[in-house]
């Protein structure tokens, strides 16, 4: 008995020591690789605080999704505003709004751009024939231009963006930038190390509305390669914006990657402290600073909920972006280098701007428009639907906690529900 116990213990000790030696050797041999994986974001770093865990309630996510489901499943028609303008029989004398469809796009995205144009044309624009502006930081190829021109009903402009406006400014501190990119990669911030993406976000935040071609327009409808429109839109959305005093329209509202915008809100607060006159008395403060569903986001983003209007679809009034308040604010933001030291998206920038520097009632949720940009949907229960958008579908279930539309409805826009 005694002998067999000693034997077993010896075996265990030998096995234990061997495992220890092998693990240590393994860690030592692969330490560089492990470190690389940690800093490149291949191993997600736990960003865990007990306080967040206690505050975070899955029941809030469930509750938000139940409310979302209920709203999306209720039948919805066009806005019942009494001033909708439908497409006339003939467009010859149609007085369009001063508006354009707008896509920033690369030559290599021709196929997905065509697909998006096809849905915009068939659901909306063949009835109204608004012009298109295509923007690119490089020259468009002849093939791109001729293929697109064939597919659109309206007038079409292909424009290049000047380098000074598009490129990363020289004064960006490259050592600081690489250091910050490393940190963001550690936290899995998407596109953290992709310079062109930073340029794109900066351009959509503070450039596009002053492009020489866009200066002639007031309203734009931004659309993107690969997106789908799932409802037939029979009224003129630009006239809707104008007649109902709206300056910004969206369909989907999401939380952002908090590590991409850690100083966006503090910089904004700094700006408005120096320029309090620009803040609208009906700004959406509660909505901007909410922290119920994802308190860790609000904490890491230093007070901003990160909830924003998803900007790959937006219908907006560029005169708002050209206003003194928005212009001075984005110039302040730009001067901090945050578009490069962090990865500020144009969506949170537009959303904060549109809800701080103007009356929040100027923002409109296009509840009736069916839309898809991977991986999120808006699928209203509408008689105008093409049937390819499952009513109420949002995304994969594990992404439900990214949906913050209900905040907008409950904290700001419950009166907008009666518009439909
Ligand atoms: P995501 O939706 O955030 O994953 O970003 P996308 O890749 O869809 O980019 C957003 C928009 O900017 C799309 O319309 C792209 O075609 C466009 N875009 C992104 N990067 C560039 C770029 O470097 N050059 C140009 N011309 N367009 C870009
Ligand atoms: Mn996109």
């Amino acid at each position: 008995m005694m002998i067999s116990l000693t034997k077993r213990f010896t075996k265990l000790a030998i096995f234990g020591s061997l495992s220890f030696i092998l693990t240590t050797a393994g860690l030592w041999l692969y330490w560089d690789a492990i470190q690389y994986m940690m800093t490149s974001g291949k191993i997600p770093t736990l960003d865990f605080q007990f306080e967040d865990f206690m505050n975070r309630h899955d029941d809030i996510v469930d509750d938000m999704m139940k409310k979302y489901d209920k709203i999306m499943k209720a039948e919805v028609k066009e806005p019942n505003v009494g001033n909708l303008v439908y497409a006339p029989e003939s467009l010859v004398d149609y007085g369009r709004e001063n508006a354009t469809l707008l896509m920033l796009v690369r030559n290599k995205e021709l196929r997905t751009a065509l697909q998006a144009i096809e849905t915009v044309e068939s659901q909306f624009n063949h009835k109204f024939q608004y012009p298109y502006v295509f923007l690119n930081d490089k020259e468009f190829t002849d093939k791109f231009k001729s293929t697109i021109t064939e597919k659109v009903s309206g007038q079409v402009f292909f424009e290049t963006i000047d380098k000074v406006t598009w490129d990363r400014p020289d004064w960006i501190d490259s050592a600081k930038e690489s250091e910050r990119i490393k940190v963001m990669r550690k936290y899995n911030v998407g596109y953290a190390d992709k310079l062109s993406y930073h340029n794109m976000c900066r351009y959509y935040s503070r450039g596009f509305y002053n492009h020489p071609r866009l200066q002639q327009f007031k309203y734009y409808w931004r659309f993107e390669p690969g997106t789908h429109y799932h409802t037939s839109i029979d009224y003129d959305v630009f006239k809707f914006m104008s007649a109902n005093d709206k300056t910004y329209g969206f369909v989907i509202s999401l939380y952002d990657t908090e590590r991409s915008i850690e100083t966006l809100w503090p910089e904004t607060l700094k700006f408005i402290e120096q320029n309090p006159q620009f803040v609208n008395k009906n700004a959406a403060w509660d909505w901007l600073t909410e922290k119920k569903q994802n308190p860790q986001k609000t904490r890491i983003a230093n007070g901003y909920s990160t909830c924003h209007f998803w900007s790959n679809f937006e219908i907006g009034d560029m005169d708002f972006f050209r206003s003194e308040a928005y212009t001075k604010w984005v110039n302040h933001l730009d001067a901090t280098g945050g578009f490069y030291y962090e990865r500020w998206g144009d969506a949170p920038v537009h959303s904060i701007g549109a809800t701080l520097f103007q009356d929040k009632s100027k923002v409109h949720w296009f509840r009736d428009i069916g839309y898809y940009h991977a991986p999120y949907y808006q699928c209203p229960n509408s008689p105008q639907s093409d049937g390819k958008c499952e009513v109420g579908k949002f995304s994969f279930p594990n992404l439900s906690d990214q949906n913050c539309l209900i905040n907008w409805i409950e904290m700001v826009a419950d009166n907008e529900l009666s518009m439909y």
Side-chain angles (χ1 to χ4, degrees), residues 86 112 170 233 249 409:
Y86 294 94
T112 48
D170 294 342
I233 304 160
I409 292 164

Side-chain angles (χ1 to χ4, degrees), residues 152-164:
V152 295
S153 58
Q155 198 181 2
V156 56
F157 302 99
F158 296 96
E159 305 288 344
T160 310
I161 299 160
D162 69 283
K163 282 183 72 60
V164 178

Side-chain angles (χ1 to χ4, degrees), residues 98-197:
N98 184 10
T100 184
L101 288 142
L102 169 68
M103 182 190 276
L104 173 70
V105 60
R106 290 159 286 203
N107 286 306
K108 65 175 182 196
E109 294 174 295
L110 177 57
R111 191 183 57 80
T112 48
L114 281 172
Q115 175 271 306
I117 290 163
E118 204 276 312
T119 95
V120 166
E121 276 292 327
S122 66
Q123 302 291 22
F124 175 78
N125 206 39
H126 77 277
K127 297 164 230 172
F128 297 97
Q129 298 182 8
Y130 274 96
Y132 288 81
V133 174
F134 294 92
L135 296 177
N136 191 353
D137 58 307
K138 309 258 164 39
E139 285 280 330
F140 281 114
T141 60
D142 289 341
K143 182 178 172 214
F144 189 96
K145 290 192 273 195
S146 60
T147 319
I148 298 250
T149 307
E150 250 173 55
K151 295 284 189 238
V152 295
S153 58
Q155 198 181 2
V156 56
F157 302 99
F158 296 96
E159 305 288 344
T160 310
I161 299 160
D162 69 283
K163 282 183 72 60
V164 178
T165 321
W166 177 268
D167 283 347
R168 173 181 51 193
D170 294 342
W171 52 261
I172 292 292
D173 174 343
S174 53
K176 180 172 173 185
E177 187 189 20
S178 350
E179 212 33 59
R180 293 288 307 130
I181 287 174
K182 244 195 231 163
V183 175
M184 286 191 286
R185 283 177 63 162
K186 188 171 109 186
Y187 289 115
N188 288 319
V189 174
Y191 305 110
D193 53 0
K194 194 162 186 201
L195 175 60
S196 63
Y197 197 86

Side-chain angles (χ1 to χ4, degrees), residues 224-225 312 373:
E224 273 197 9
N312 42 63
H373 174 302

